[in-house]
C-alpha cells in the first residue's frame, strides 16, 4: 500500500518519548525515498499521456468533434492514477519532513543542554547530516553567546544557593574548575560552585547530595 | 604552633586559611573511614562550612599515606601554593609534619579524639599543624597528666637546634632506644613515681622522663569530635536538630565501642540533654488544624529524646529473644551459648510472663502489652540473675508515631556499613564511607536498615566465635601480662576481619572471662584474612575506668615488636593498637610482644 512506510516512520517518531532521540532509521528512510522515486516514475508517463489526450481533445474541439468514448475512459483513468501517485508523493514528503524536522528540534534542544561535544551514546544515533547540523548549530550558538558575552545555556530558574554538594561517581581526575583546581576522585564529596558541577551532573559523573 | 584551645578561634583560623588558599584549591577534608564519630564530625563541620560558603573537597581515607593520593604535589615541600587541610578524627598521635611530609606553605588542621597527641603537633614552633585541644578536654580526660602539656611540648623545641627535622629524627631514636631499655609500655607507672621524686635534676633528663611518661601512658580517647563540632555550630548559632542528633550519635559511638569511662559518658549525656531541652524537643505533640477546621494532634516530624535504654542490640530490627541471646551484656552474664544459659534465659522470660512465641516475633510486631511492661519487668527480675545495670541513659530519634531509632542502633548499623567492604583496599572503604554517609541522614532510613541487618550478622559471628573460644580449652592463650586469641578457618573471619568488629569481639571475650572469674588482663585478638596471607591484630585493654593510670599500651609495643620481626607490617591505621602483619611473621611477633610486655 502506498504511503505505508512513510506512516511507519512517523509512528516510530510518535511512539518514542518526546525529546528523546532513537537511532536514525536509515533503512526505512531510504525505502520511503525509493517509493517516492517510484511514484515519480509512474507519474511522469501518466502526465505525458494525459497531455497527449488533452491535445487531441483540443484539436477535436476546433473541429467541433467530441472525444471518442475509449479516449474519455483512458483520460479518466489516467487522471485518477496521476492523482493517487501525486498525493502519495506529497504524503511521503510530509512524513519525511516531519521525521527530519522533529529530530532536528530535539537536536537543537540538545545544543542548549550540552556544549559542543555529544556523548557517544547520542552521537551514534544521529545520521551524518544530523551530526553536521548539530555541529553548526552548536557553533553558531557559541558564537552568539560569545558575542553577547553571556551564557544563555544556564538553568532558567535561578538556584537557591550558588554552591552545591555533590558526590563524584567515577574517577575524573585532576580538573581545573572555574577558578580552582580540584581532584575529582571517585567517591569524593565536594562542595563547589553549581556552575562547575552542572556539566558533570548532566553527564552522570556526579550526583547531588542533600541532607 | 600549635595547640588551639578554643573551638571558635580554631574555626576562624581554619576559615581564614581556607579562604586565603581558595583561589587555587578548595579546602581539603580527610575524614577517617574507621569510625562513626568522624562521620558525624564531618557532617557537622560540612554544614557549618556550607553556610559560610567555604568550598571544600572531602576524601575519605583509611590510612596515613592515602592522603598523598588525593592532595597532589601541593602538600610537599617543593610547592609554594598555599593549601589548607582538615583531618577529621585521625592523625594527631603521630608527628604529622614528618609522616605526611608537609611543606611550609601547607596548613593542617586536626580535630581528633585520639590521645595522646604527639608533642610535635602541639609545639608552638610547628606552625604547619594546628590541633584543636581544649582545656576542658584536657581536664576531663580519662587519664590525667600531672604536668603542663603545653610547656612540655614547647620544651621539645627549646633544647634542640632550629633544624626540627634532624632533631625529631634523633628524638625518635631516643624513644626507641629507651623503649628497648625498659621493654615497653607497662612500666610507665613505676617511672611516674620516680619522676616525681627526682626533683629538678638535669632539665634535659627531666624532659625526657616526662616525655616518656606522656607517651607510655598508652592510648585513650578524648572528647568525641562530633560533640566538639556541635559545640562549634552551637556557638555560631548554626545548630539544628539534625546536627544535635549527630552529636548524640558521636557520643554514643564512643560509649558503644567502650572508648570512654561511664563518668565521662554521663557528663556528655547531661550536656547533650540540656541542648535537647533547649532546642524545642520537649513539646512532644503539636496540633495541626486542617482546612475544614478540625484539629488533629500530630507529632513533630522528628525529634530527639532521651530515655533509659536496655542494653539490647538492634532491638528494632531484631526480636527480643535473639537480641537477648546475642547482645554482649546478657550473653556474657547468662552464658547464653550453653544449654544452661538458654534455660536460664527462658526461665527469666517465663518469670516475667512473656510468651516465647511473642518474644520471637519481630520486635515491631510484638505485643504492645509486653513492650509496655518490659522495663518494669526487667528491672524487677534481672537483679536475681545478677544483671544490675541493664538500663543506661541513651538517645532516641522519633519520627512521627511510627519509627523510633536509638542512637546505639545507629552506631551499630553505620559501623557495620563502614566495615562491610568486600575487599580490604582503600577504594571500597571510601565507597562504604559514602554509603554510611547516606545512612546517617534523617531521611534515608532504608539504608540504615541494611546496615543494621549487617550488624546483626556481625554480632551473631561474635557470639559463635566468642563462645567457641571460651568453651574450647586452649584457644585463649595466656601470658603473664596479656592473653591472646587467634581466629582462623571459618566463614566468620570474613565478617570479623575489620578493626571495630574484632575489637567488639575482644570486649565480648573479656566480659565472658570476667564472668568466669578470670583475672583481668589485656587481650590481643588476631584474625586471618580470607586469603590467609595477612593477619589483623587488635589490642584490647578493657573499658576505661576513672582514675586509671594506664590507657591502651599496645600501640608502642606493637610497633617495636613488628619492627624487630623484620617482616612487612602495616601500622598506618588510625588506632595505634591496630596492626596488619604478614601471616608468616605472627609467631615471631607474638614472641617478641611477650618479651616486651613481660
Amino acid at each position: 500500500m502506498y504511503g505505508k512506510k512513510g506512516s511507519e516512520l512517523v509512528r516510530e517518531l510518535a511512539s518514542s518519548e518526546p525529546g528523546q532521540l532513537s537511532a536514525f532509521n536509515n533503512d526505512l528512510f531510504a525505502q520511503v525515498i525509493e517509493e517516492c522515486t517510484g511514484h515519480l516514475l509512474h507519474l511522469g508517463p501518466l502526465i505525458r499521456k494525459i497531455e497527449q489526450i488533452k491535445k487531441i481533445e483540443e484539436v477535436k474541439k476546433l473541429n467541433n468533434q467530441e472525444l471518442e468514448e475509449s479516449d474519455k475512459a483512458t483520460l479518466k483513468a489516467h487522471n485518477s492514477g496521476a492523482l493517487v501517485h501525486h498525493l502519495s508523493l506529497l504524503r511521503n514528503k510530509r512524513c519525511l519532513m516531519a521525521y527530519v524536522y522533529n529530530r532536528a528540534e530535539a537536536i537543537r534542544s540538545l545544543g542548549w543542554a550540552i556544549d559542543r561535544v555529544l556523548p557517544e551514546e547520542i552521537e551514534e544515533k544521529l545520521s551524518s547530516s544530523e551530526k553536521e547540523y548539530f555541529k553548526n548549530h552548536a557553533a553558531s550558538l557559541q558564537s552568539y553567546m560569545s558575542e553577547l558575552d553571556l551564557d544563555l545555556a544556564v538553568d532558567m530558574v535561578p538556584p537557591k544557593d550558588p554552591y552545591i554538594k555533590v558526590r563524584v561517581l567515577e574517577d575524573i581526575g585532576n580538573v581545573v574548575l572555574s577558578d580552582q583546581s580540584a581532584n575529582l576522585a571517585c567517591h569524593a564529596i565536594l562542595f563547589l560552585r553549581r556552575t562547575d558541577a552542572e556539566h558533570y551532573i548532566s553527564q552522570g559523573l556526579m550526583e547531588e547530595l542533600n541532607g | 604552633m600549635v595547640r588551639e584551645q578554643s573551638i571558635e578561634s580554631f574555626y576562624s583560623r581554619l576559615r581564614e586559611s581556607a579562604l586565603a588558599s581558595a583561589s587555587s584549591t578548595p579546602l581539603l577534608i580527610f575524614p577517617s573511614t574507621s569510625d562513626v564519630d568522624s562521620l558525624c564530625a564531618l557532617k557537622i563541620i560540612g554544614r557549618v562550612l556550607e553556610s559560610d560558603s567555604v568550598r571544600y573537597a572531602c576524601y575519605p581515607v583509611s590510612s596515613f599515606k592515602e592522603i598523598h593520593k588525593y592532595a597532589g604535589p601541593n602538600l610537599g615541600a617543593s610547592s609554594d601554593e598555599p593549601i589548607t587541610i582538615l583531618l577529621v578524627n585521625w592523625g594527631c598521635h603521630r608527628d604529622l609534619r614528618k609522616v605526611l611530609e608537609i611543606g611550609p606553605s601547607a596548613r593542617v588542621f586536626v580535630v581528633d579524639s585520639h590521645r595522646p597527641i604527639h608533642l610535635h603537633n602541639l609545639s608552638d614552633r610547628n606552625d604547619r599543624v594546628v590541633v584543636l585541644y581544649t582545656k576542658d578536654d584536657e581536664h576531663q580526660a580519662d587519664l590525667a597528666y600531672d604536668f603542663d602539656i603545653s610547656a612540655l611540648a614547647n620544651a621539645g623545641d627549646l633544647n634542640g637546634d632550629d633544624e626540627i627535622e634532624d632533631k625529631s629524627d634523633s628524638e625518635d631514636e631516643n624513644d626507641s632506644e629507651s623503649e628497648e631499655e625498659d621493654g615497653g609500655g607497662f612500666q610507665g607507672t613505676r617511672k611516674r613515681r620516680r619522676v616525681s621524686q627526682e626533683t629538678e635534676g638535669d632539665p634535659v633528663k627531666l624532659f625526657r622522663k616526662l616525655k616518656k611518661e606522656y607517651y607510655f601512658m598508652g592510648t585513650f580517647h578524648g572528647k568525641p569530635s562530633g560533640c566538639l563540632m556541635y559545640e562549634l555550630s552551637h556557638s555560631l548559632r548554626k545548630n539544628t536538630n539534625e546536627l544535635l542528633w549527630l552529636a548524640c550519635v558521636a557520643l554514643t559511638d564512643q560509649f558503644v565501642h567502650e572508648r570512654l569511662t561511664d563518668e565521662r559518658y554521663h557528663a556528655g549525656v547531661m550536656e547533650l540533654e540540656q541542648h535537647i531541652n533547649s532546642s524545642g524537643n520537649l513539646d512532644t505533640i503539636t496540633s495541626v488544624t486542617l482546612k475544614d477546621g478540625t484539629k488533629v494532634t500530630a507529632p513533630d516530624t522528628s525529634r530527639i529524646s532521651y530515655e533509659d535504654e536496655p542494653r539490647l542490640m538492634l532491638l528494632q530490627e531484631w526480636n527480643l529473644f535473639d537480641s537477648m541471646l546475642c547482645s554482649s551484656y546478657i550473653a556474657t552474664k547468662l552464658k547464653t551459648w550453653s544449654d544452661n544459659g538458654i534455660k536460664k534465659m527462658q526461665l527469666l522470660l517465663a518469670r516475667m510472663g512473656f510468651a516465647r512465641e511473642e518474644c520471637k516475633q519481630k520486635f515491631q510486631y510484638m505485643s504492645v502489652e509486653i513492650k509496655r511492661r518490659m522495663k518494669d519487668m526487667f528491672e524487677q527480675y534481672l537483679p536475681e540473675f545478677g544483671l544490675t545495670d541493664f538500663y543506661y541513659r541513651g538517645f532516641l530519634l522519633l519520627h512521627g508515631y511510627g519509627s523510633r531509632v536509638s542512637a546505639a542502633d545507629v552506631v551499630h548499623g553505620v559501623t557495620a556499613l563502614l566495615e562491610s567492604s568486600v575487599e580490604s583496599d582503600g577504594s571500597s572503604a571510601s565507597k562504604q564511607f559514602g554509603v554510611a554517609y547516606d545512612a546517617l541522614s534523617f531521611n534515608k532510613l532504608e539504608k540504615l536498615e541494611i546496615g543494621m541487618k549487617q550488624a546483626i550478622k556481625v554480632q551473631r559471628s561474635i557470639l559463635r566465635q566468642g563462645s567457641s573460644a571460651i568453651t574450647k580449652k586452649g584457644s585463649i592463650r595466656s601470658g603473664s601480662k596479656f592473653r591472646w586469641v587467634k581466629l582462623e578457618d571459618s566463614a566468620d573471619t570474613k565478617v570479623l576481619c575489620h578493626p571495630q568488629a574484632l575489637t567488639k569481639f575482644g570486649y565480648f571475650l573479656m566480659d565472658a572471662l570476667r564472668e568466669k572469674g578470670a583475672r583481668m588482663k589485656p587481650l590481643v585478638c588476631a584474625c586471618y584474612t580470607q586469603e590467609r596471607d595477612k593477619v589483623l591484630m587488635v589490642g584490647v585493654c578493657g573499658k576505661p575506668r576513672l582514675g586509671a593510670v594506664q590507657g591502651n599500651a599496645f600501640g608502642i609495643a606493637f610497633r617495636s615488636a613488628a619492627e624487630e620481626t623484620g617482616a612487612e607490617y602495616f601500622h598506618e591505621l588510625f588506632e595505634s593498637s591496630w596492626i596488619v602483619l604478614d601471616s608468616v611473621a605472627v609467631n615471631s611477633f607474638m614472641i617478641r610482644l611477650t618479651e616486651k610486655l613481660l
Side-chain angles (χ1 to χ4, degrees):
Chain A
M1 201 164 73
Y2 294 147
K4 194 178 178 193
K5 292 209 167 95
S7 77
E8 250 171 53
L9 206 56
V10 176
R11 205 169 293 143
E12 185 189 303
L13 194 74
S15 65
S16 67
E17 291 275 316
Q20 293 280 320
L21 284 173
S22 46
F24 189 86
N25 199 339
N26 263 323
D27 242 13
L28 199 58
F29 199 80
Q31 280 176 32
V32 177
I33 291 180
E34 209 175 289
E35 203 185 296
C36 288
T37 354
H39 284 308
L40 191 67
L41 283 179
H42 282 109
L43 198 59
L46 278 176
I47 299 279
R48 248 174 280 129
K49 275 180 197 155
I50 290 170
E51 274 169 1
Q52 269 177 11
I53 296 173
K54 286 262 162 112
K55 263 182 203 155
I56 297 169
E57 198 185 5
E58 271 169 37
V59 174
K60 290 237 167 138
K61 239 184 197 161
L62 288 178
N63 302 338
N64 268 340
Q65 277 177 330
E66 286 270 310
L67 260 181
E68 283 168 38
E69 278 306 308
S70 65
D71 276 348
K72 260 189 191 166
T74 39
L75 182 66
K76 230 178 204 170
H78 285 328
N79 262 339
S80 29
L83 190 68
V84 168
H85 281 297
H86 182 62
L87 287 179
S88 304
L89 195 64
L90 281 182
R91 185 182 155 73
N92 275 344
K93 192 172 135 194
R94 281 184 63 82
C95 290
L96 287 174
M97 296 245 291
Y99 188 70
V100 173
Y101 177 78
N102 278 296
R103 287 178 64 89
E105 216 167 39
I107 291 166
R108 271 205 308 280
S109 68
L110 272 180
W112 290 99
I114 305 164
D115 38 43
R116 299 212 191 186
V117 188
L118 276 176
E120 200 149 306
E121 67 269 20
I122 295 184
E123 186 157 13
E124 68 194 11
K125 288 178 179 167
L126 301 188
S127 68
S128 58
S129 53
E130 278 173 331
K131 279 177 207 161
E132 185 74 13
Y133 179 72
F134 175 80
K135 220 164 72 189
N136 291 337
H137 180 69
S140 50
L141 262 184
Q142 287 298 330
S143 75
Y144 180 58
M145 283 194 257
S146 63
E147 211 174 285
L148 281 179
D149 198 16
L150 194 67
D151 188 2
L152 297 172
V154 292
D155 204 343
M156 291 295 281
V157 186
K160 277 192 185 138
D161 192 332
Y163 298 96
I164 185 175
K165 184 157 69 172
V166 294
R167 174 180 296 138
V168 183
L169 298 175
E170 270 171 54
D171 251 319
I172 303 173
N174 261 311
V175 167
V176 179
L177 303 174
S178 56
D179 61 345
Q180 310 181 307
S181 68
N183 181 1
L184 306 182
C186 194
H187 308 308
I189 296 168
L190 281 98
F191 183 65
L192 71 176
R193 285 202 181 149
R194 197 172 276 270
T195 44
D196 289 335
E198 265 166 359
H199 173 62
Y200 294 107
I201 293 176
S202 68
Q203 287 182 27
L205 300 174
M206 283 182 181
E207 67 176 353
E208 185 177 357
L209 283 181
N210 34 25
Chain B
M1 147 130 206
V2 172
R3 164 178 179 179
E4 192 56 75
Q5 304 209 1
S6 109
I7 306 173
E8 290 89 344
S9 67
F10 174 82
Y11 177 69
S12 62
R13 282 182 73 150
L14 170 69
R15 204 176 64 152
E16 241 167 64
S17 176
L19 291 178
S21 59
S23 55
S24 53
T25 45
L27 164 66
L28 302 180
I29 304 180
F30 296 96
S32 139
T33 56
S34 45
D35 48 30
V36 182
D37 187 13
S38 107
L39 253 174
C40 296
L42 169 74
K43 282 199 145 194
I44 300 175
I45 187 79
R47 191 61 60 81
V48 173
L49 289 168
E50 281 157 30
S51 70
D52 275 343
S53 296
V54 178
R55 278 174 285 172
Y56 63 80
C58 154
Y59 310 97
V61 289
S62 49
S63 66
F64 275 82
K65 299 288 178 199
E66 226 176 294
I67 182 171
H68 290 290
K69 196 167 92 191
Y70 300 113
N74 281 356
L75 192 60
S78 54
S79 153
D80 51 342
E81 284 277 312
I83 182 169
T84 311
I85 291 170
L86 173 66
L87 310 183
V88 180
N89 222 20
W90 65 278
C92 75
H93 71 281
R94 299 278 295 276
D95 184 1
L96 284 173
R97 181 173 160 148
K98 221 178 98 196
V99 175
L100 301 180
E101 296 148 20
I102 299 164
S105 54
R107 289 278 170 288
V108 177
F109 293 80
V110 188
V111 181
D112 190 4
S113 63
H114 294 92
R115 302 285 179 272
I117 299 172
H118 196 285
L119 289 175
H120 287 175
N121 292 336
L122 285 177
S123 162
D124 279 346
R125 294 272 207 87
N126 183 5
D127 62 349
R128 297 172 202 175
V129 179
V130 181
V131 179
L132 176 62
Y133 188 29
T134 61
K135 271 269 180 245
D136 277 355
D137 201 6
E138 185 185 334
H139 294 318
Q140 288 165 5
D142 292 336
L143 301 185
Y145 304 114
D146 47 6
F147 48 84
D148 185 0
I149 296 167
S150 308
L152 181 66
N154 293 334
D157 284 346
L158 290 181
N159 57 1
D161 42 39
D162 272 84
E163 285 184 322
I164 301 170
E165 301 290 328
D166 289 351
K167 191 190 60 62
S168 57
D169 276 343
S170 64
E171 254 180 21
D172 278 1
E173 275 160 32
N174 281 348
D175 277 353
S176 50
E177 273 165 30
S178 50
E179 272 160 38
E180 277 155 30
E181 277 161 29
D182 58 24
F186 282 99
Q187 299 188 346
T189 47
R190 237 176 291 156
K191 284 273 173 216
R192 156 197 287 255
R193 253 166 256 133
R194 231 185 295 156
V195 168
S196 49
Q197 285 160 9
E198 215 169 284
T199 42
E200 290 300 309
D202 186 7
V204 180
K205 248 188 188 163
L206 179 71
F207 166 70
R208 286 231 180 113
K209 290 239 156 90
L210 283 178
K211 202 170 65 152
K212 200 181 287 171
E213 188 182 328
Y214 178 74
Y215 285 125
F216 282 167
M217 223 173 220
T219 54
F220 57 102
H221 290 85
K223 188 165 188 163
S225 310
C227 293
L228 279 174
M229 288 302 102
Y230 178 73
E231 268 172 39
L232 169 69
S233 73
H234 184 70
S235 67
L236 296 172
R237 307 269 179 279
K238 284 171 181 164
N239 53 324
T240 61
N241 246 352
E242 194 172 348
L243 301 189
L244 181 56
W245 173 245
L246 290 173
C248 295
V249 173
L251 181 68
T252 313
D253 177 46
Q254 285 205 343
F255 176 71
V256 166
H257 294 111
E258 318 215 12
R259 289 177 165 181
L260 80 180
T261 55
D262 284 341
E263 290 77 6
R264 209 153 57 77
Y265 176 67
H266 288 307
V269 168
M270 287 222 294
E271 205 177 301
L272 287 173
E273 276 178 11
Q274 276 178 3
H275 284 301
I276 292 172
N277 292 346
S278 61
S279 41
N281 287 292
L282 281 183
D283 28 336
T284 49
I285 291 181
T286 49
S287 68
V288 177
T289 316
L290 295 180
K291 265 182 193 163
D292 56 354
T294 45
K295 275 196 176 174
V296 199
T297 53
D300 242 343
T301 42
S302 48
R303 68 191 177 85
I304 306 167
S305 87
Y306 43 87
E307 256 173 51
D308 283 341
E309 285 275 296
R311 286 179 205 262
L312 290 174
M313 278 181 71
L314 301 161
L315 202 51
Q316 301 292 333
E317 269 302 304
W318 220 343
N319 57 54
L320 184 62
F321 188 85
D322 281 336
S323 182
M324 284 175 72
L325 190 74
C326 295
S327 290
S328 298
Y329 183 75
I330 289 200
T332 52
K333 294 247 182 197
L334 297 183
K335 303 187 180 61
T336 53
W337 53 83
S338 62
D339 285 345
N340 215 358
I342 295 232
K343 266 186 208 143
K344 248 194 210 169
M345 205 180 97
Q346 281 169 347
L347 179 67
L348 171 67
L349 287 173
R351 294 204 52 184
M352 292 192 296
F354 297 171
R356 217 168 93 191
E357 289 309 306
E358 279 292 335
C359 295
K360 288 192 174 175
Q361 191 83 252
K362 197 169 182 240
F363 185 77
Q364 268 176 296
Y365 311 121
M366 203 172 75
S367 101
V368 185
E369 176 73 0
I370 294 184
K371 278 188 207 170
R372 205 161 42 78
R373 280 171 40 216
M374 214 170 79
K375 192 179 173 198
D376 290 342
M377 285 306 189
F378 272 132
E379 280 189 335
Q380 191 180 339
Y381 288 103
L382 277 177
E384 290 178 21
F385 294 85
L387 299 121
T388 44
D389 45 357
F390 184 59
Y391 277 89
Y392 69 98
R393 197 34 94 87
F395 302 102
L396 286 170
L397 180 66
L398 308 172
H399 285 287
Y401 288 116
S403 84
R404 43 190 281 146
V405 193
S406 84
D409 291 353
V410 172
V411 171
H412 286 303
V414 176
T415 309
L417 281 180
L418 281 174
E419 295 201 329
S420 60
S421 49
V422 190
E423 317 106 90
S424 48
D425 69 321
S427 65
S428 74
S430 60
K431 179 166 173 250
Q432 285 307 315
F433 186 85
V435 177
Y437 187 93
D438 288 342
L440 209 46
S441 300
F442 261 23
N443 48 4
K444 299 237 173 81
L445 287 176
E446 69 281 357
K447 288 201 176 171
L448 187 59
E449 264 168 38
I450 300 174
M452 290 184 180
K453 295 225 165 77
Q454 177 70 20
I456 288 176
K457 259 190 222 158
V458 173
Q459 190 63 24
R460 282 193 192 278
S461 324
I462 288 177
L463 181 72
R464 259 197 307 275
Q465 291 300 317
S467 57
S468 79
I470 289 284
T471 47
K472 230 196 280 165
K473 263 211 152 49
S475 50
I476 302 177
R477 286 168 228 190
S478 193
S480 60
K481 279 289 176 187
F482 67 96
R483 297 192 176 85
W484 77 289
V485 63
K486 206 156 66 169
L487 280 183
E488 49 189 338
D489 273 346
S490 89
D492 290 332
T493 58
K494 192 179 165 196
V495 185
L496 292 181
C497 200
H498 297 284
Q500 298 257 42
L502 197 56
T503 309
K504 242 182 236 171
F505 170 73
Y507 277 117
F508 181 91
L509 276 190
M510 287 182 87
D511 285 348
L513 287 169
R514 193 176 49 225
E515 291 306 317
K516 270 176 83 177
R519 202 163 66 85
M520 289 317 289
K521 280 188 228 170
L523 175 76
V524 176
C525 307
C527 182
Y528 285 87
T529 54
Q530 274 317 82
E531 301 80 33
R532 292 193 57 85
D533 55 343
K534 293 260 186 283
V535 179
L536 172 71
M537 295 240 182
V538 164
V540 187
C541 272
K543 190 172 172 63
R545 280 170 299 115
L546 193 71
V549 285
Q550 183 87 58
N552 186 334
F554 280 116
I556 304 168
F558 270 8
R559 191 174 190 89
S560 54
E563 262 165 18
E564 279 172 38
T565 58
E568 231 176 82
Y569 68 97
F570 187 70
H571 197 229
E572 306 277 299
L573 298 168
F574 296 146
E575 200 82 43
S576 60
S577 55
W578 298 346
I579 194 168
V580 179
L581 290 170
D582 269 349
S583 48
V584 283
V586 170
N587 284 332
S588 67
F589 175 83
M590 287 316 294
I591 292 166
R592 292 208 161 75
L593 192 64
T594 322
E595 284 166 3
K596 293 222 165 298
L597 298 178
L598 264 183

